[in-house]
Amino acid sequence: MHCCSSNDILNDEDQILLNNINNAYQLVVDKNDYSYIDKYTSSTPFSQFINDETMMYESLINFFKCIPEFKQLDKNDQVLLIKSNLLTIIHLHHIIIYNFQDCPNLDKCLSKWINKDFDYQIVRTRQYFYRFINYPLVLKLALVVLIFSVNLSSWFDITQFYEYKNTKILFEYQNYYTNILWRYLNYLFDEKEAIKVMEIIVMQILRFQLLMVTMRNSVCQSPYCSQYHPLMQSVLGL
């Protein structure tokens, strides 16, 4: 472990915050059984996967509800952040839940439901994050940073920006947690590696963003859109 400067050292308050984030995440995750993916077969419909994912999305939302700054936001802003960002950042949640391992069963189904290239790109993008298998808190912190983004979903109307009650506080919260993440990375790695990690997170989240456009297009072509769980309809912008 390396500390680059006094500005990068984690203080006692930071350590408490990191422990709280870790504990909150674990508490939420332990309440659910995510083994449904292991039961998929070649006959499992795409619509079942979309509805099954509700549990995964709800658990991530419950994690965010444990973050004090998120809880302090106007309810309207909380809903907008969830609608705008969850579909893109859910993949970091998936990676942690499945212990930084591929899901061959799901991958086979994704190839069938959407196409082989989509599955290949999803797997490849996920694998960039496997280097954090010994540091899952990096991804948990990244989730907190990213939920305060004004919009990570490329299909939502730009006018949505003006629907937020307080965009200034969103930027302040995101900046606060970005600084925490940066200090934590400098605690774990030297500065060069910390910069590389930040680049990986940003670039691969952008890749997930583009891939979710492809997935959403496939979802929209389904005749079962109206049968999806309301939460999934919301995050998919249906």
Side-chain angles (χ1 to χ4, degrees):
M1 293 185 181
H2 307 273
C3 293
C4 296
S5 71
S6 59
N7 291 329
D8 297 321
I9 296 174
L10 293 172
N11 56 40
D12 290 344
E13 187 176 324
D14 294 336
Q15 293 283 7
I16 292 171
L17 176 62
L18 295 178
N19 286 335
N20 288 343
I21 289 173
N22 224 4
N23 292 338
Y25 188 88
Q26 207 56 48
L27 185 65
V28 166
V29 166
D30 288 346
K31 290 181 178 179
N32 297 298
D33 178 8
Y34 304 95
S35 62
Y36 57 87
I37 284 179
D38 298 328
K39 301 170 185 174
Y40 289 166
T41 68
S42 58
S43 61
T44 302
F46 189 30
S47 57
Q48 181 179 330
F49 166 70
I50 295 296
N51 280 328
D52 286 346
E53 279 287 272
T54 303
M55 180 193 300
M56 190 74 72
Y57 281 77
E58 287 178 340
S59 66
L60 185 53
I61 291 170
N62 288 333
F63 167 60
F64 291 136
K65 287 180 177 179
C66 295
I67 305 301
E69 291 78 8
F70 186 84
K71 287 195 297 185
Q72 292 167 12
L73 293 174
D74 179 89
K75 293 296 183 184
N76 174 76
D77 287 1
Q78 290 182 24
V79 171
L80 278 175
L81 290 175
I82 288 167
K83 288 174 62 176
S84 304
N85 300 320
L86 233 61
L87 192 64
T88 298
I89 67 177
I90 193 70
H91 299 281
L92 301 188
H93 189 41
H94 278 145
I95 290 165
I96 303 169
I97 294 294
Y98 294 114
N99 198 29
F100 297 82
Q101 296 178 2
D102 291 339
C103 303
N105 199 39
L106 175 60
D107 295 335
K108 287 179 183 177
C109 291
L110 285 174
S111 292
K112 176 193 169 191
W113 293 330
I114 303 179
N115 59 60
K116 289 184 179 180
D117 182 65
F118 175 83
D119 173 57
Y120 170 77
Q121 295 296 337
I122 283 285
V123 171
R124 185 181 173 200
T125 307
R126 282 199 308 248
Q127 289 174 346
Y128 275 95
F129 293 97
Y130 290 0
R131 68 192 67 205
F132 305 121
I133 186 169
N134 294 320
Y135 312 107
L137 184 54
V138 170
L139 298 195
K140 296 168 190 176
L141 267 174
L143 282 168
V144 178
V145 170
L146 292 165
I147 192 57
F148 292 111
S149 303
V150 171
N151 189 0
L152 288 176
S153 296
S154 57
W155 54 82
F156 279 110
D157 195 324
I158 190 63
T159 58
Q160 180 178 291
F161 176 85
Y162 302 103
E163 295 177 15
Y164 284 102
K165 303 292 185 184
N166 192 342
T167 53
K168 180 181 177 182
I169 200 69
L170 299 183
F171 294 134
E172 289 178 0
Y173 288 162
Q174 187 169 63
N175 185 58
Y176 170 71
Y177 278 104
T178 300
N179 286 331
I180 296 291
L181 174 59
W182 175 246
R183 292 206 295 276
Y184 182 57
L185 292 177
N186 278 279
Y187 171 75
L188 295 175
F189 314 113
D190 60 33
E191 186 175 15
K192 183 177 180 180
E193 183 66 17
I195 292 171
K196 182 179 179 181
V197 169
M198 292 292 271
E199 289 176 346
I200 288 170
I201 292 171
V202 172
M203 294 305 296
Q204 302 317 310
I205 284 295
L206 290 175
R207 288 185 68 182
F208 277 135
Q209 183 187 57
L210 291 175
L211 287 165
M212 288 304 94
V213 173
T214 301
M215 192 183 90
R216 181 177 179 270
N217 289 340
S218 293
V219 170
C220 289
Q221 293 171 11
S222 168
Y224 305 106
C225 287
S226 62
Q227 298 176 21
Y228 293 150
H229 188 282
L231 173 59
M232 300 310 296
Q233 290 190 39
S234 180
V235 297
L236 286 162
L238 300 177

